Amino acid sequence: MFKKVLVSLALFLVVFGVTACGKTIDSYVLNNMAEITKEYYFGENDTMVATLSVGEREEDYLVNGQATELVDYSLLVIKFKEENIAKAIVFEVKSGEVTVDVEAEYNSFNNSYMVDIVDDITIGEDFSIVYDEQTVTLEKQNFAIDYENALQIVCENLKDKLEEQKSYNHFNAECYLRVMSEKDDDFSDLYWCFTCLNYEGESFSVIISTVDGSVLAISDGEEKTA
């Protein structure tokens, strides 16, 4: 009986070891995302620019190096081309035949109005916002390099850095994947921005082209161009 127990324990350890060793850095990163943008919409008119980031992020949004349970989000950001510093604005969101009123609060950090509309409306093909009788139609950006491609490129180019975050079978960091523009007021070029933040508050990032997947910059100072 005792021998059978030892054999069973040995088999368990072998299986556990194979499972742990077989876990790739890609799976560690994917399982420790604190925020991930999967779809991105953009639109502008003469008075404002609007973007919509759709994906998943932590329910308790804490920047602490530890990823927790994810929930869906649809972050709408509105930026006026002329200064507007009201504490909040109310505007219409239209998706297909459905229209709802939404309030967005001013964020002084990036001089824009932001609101998560995930519970307000379902995003359809015809999606627009109306403010002060001005309409902005947002179109989905069909990037040649989607979020899955971007994460694969990240893992290929930052493999060593990401491996350093592992301890036994645990990943001691959280990861973020967002869409960013070159400058806050210039949306002509859009990029994927991946950031990894560990328990000690140390972080590193990589900027990836949404067009061809080129690694354009890495946070440690190493520069790469297409």
Side-chain angles (χ1 to χ4, degrees):
M1 180 66 181
F2 181 68
K3 288 184 178 180
K4 288 183 178 180
V5 172
L6 288 178
V7 170
S8 298
L9 179 60
L11 288 173
F12 170 78
L13 292 174
V14 168
V15 171
F16 177 80
V18 170
T19 303
C21 293
K23 197 171 183 180
T24 64
I25 196 62
D26 304 58
S27 60
Y28 277 106
V29 169
L30 191 59
N31 291 332
N32 288 276
M33 298 299 300
E35 179 181 328
I36 179 169
T37 299
K38 296 182 177 181
E39 296 180 357
Y40 189 81
Y41 297 74
F42 172 83
E44 69 175 321
N45 61 16
D46 293 336
T47 61
M48 55 185 163
V49 175
T51 66
L52 179 71
S53 299
V54 179
E56 296 177 310
R57 67 180 175 193
E58 291 177 305
E59 185 171 10
D60 298 321
Y61 199 71
L62 301 174
V63 184
N64 58 2
Q66 180 177 3
T68 55
E69 184 177 356
L70 300 180
V71 295
D72 295 333
Y73 82 98
S74 298
L75 181 65
L76 183 61
V77 178
I78 301 172
K79 178 170 292 188
F80 291 93
K81 295 182 179 180
E82 294 185 1
E83 187 175 17
N84 187 332
I85 55 174
K87 291 183 178 180
I89 61 172
V90 177
F91 56 95
E92 291 182 344
V93 176
K94 296 184 176 182
S95 183
E97 301 298 321
V98 180
T99 301
V100 297
D101 290 335
V102 174
E103 181 179 84
E105 296 184 352
Y106 181 69
N107 185 321
S108 59
F109 179 74
N110 56 10
N111 190 31
S112 62
Y113 293 85
M114 306 172 67
V115 60
D116 188 346
I117 62 171
V118 70
D119 295 324
D120 296 312
I121 198 166
T122 300
I123 310 302
E125 292 184 2
D126 299 319
F127 180 76
S128 61
I129 63 171
V130 181
Y131 178 75
D132 195 21
E133 299 183 351
Q134 297 289 320
T135 300
V136 175
T137 299
L138 283 77
E139 296 183 354
K140 182 179 177 181
Q141 306 299 296
N142 295 312
F143 298 135
I145 304 299
D146 63 14
Y147 75 95
E148 293 177 317
N149 298 143
L151 286 178
Q152 183 178 1
I153 293 168
V154 165
C155 292
E156 290 173 353
N157 285 270
L158 295 180
K159 187 175 186 298
D160 292 342
K161 284 180 174 290
L162 293 167
E163 290 282 358
E164 291 174 0
Q165 312 309 315
K166 289 167 51 179
S167 176
Y168 297 100
N169 198 35
H170 188 69
F171 192 74
N172 301 313
E174 63 182 356
C175 304
Y176 300 79
L177 182 69
R178 305 183 177 105
V179 175
M180 62 170 285
S181 59
E182 185 174 7
K183 297 185 295 182
D184 288 343
D185 56 352
D186 180 7
F187 290 85
S188 58
D189 295 310
L190 297 171
Y191 310 98
W192 288 110
C193 178
F194 173 89
T195 300
C196 181
L197 173 71
N198 65 23
Y199 286 1
E200 287 74 36
E202 301 168 336
S203 66
F204 54 89
S205 302
V206 59
I207 306 300
I208 298 170
S209 167
T210 58
V211 177
D212 60 11
S214 300
V215 175
L216 304 175
I218 298 177
S219 62
D220 61 5
E222 179 183 354
E223 298 289 337
K224 295 185 180 181
T225 57

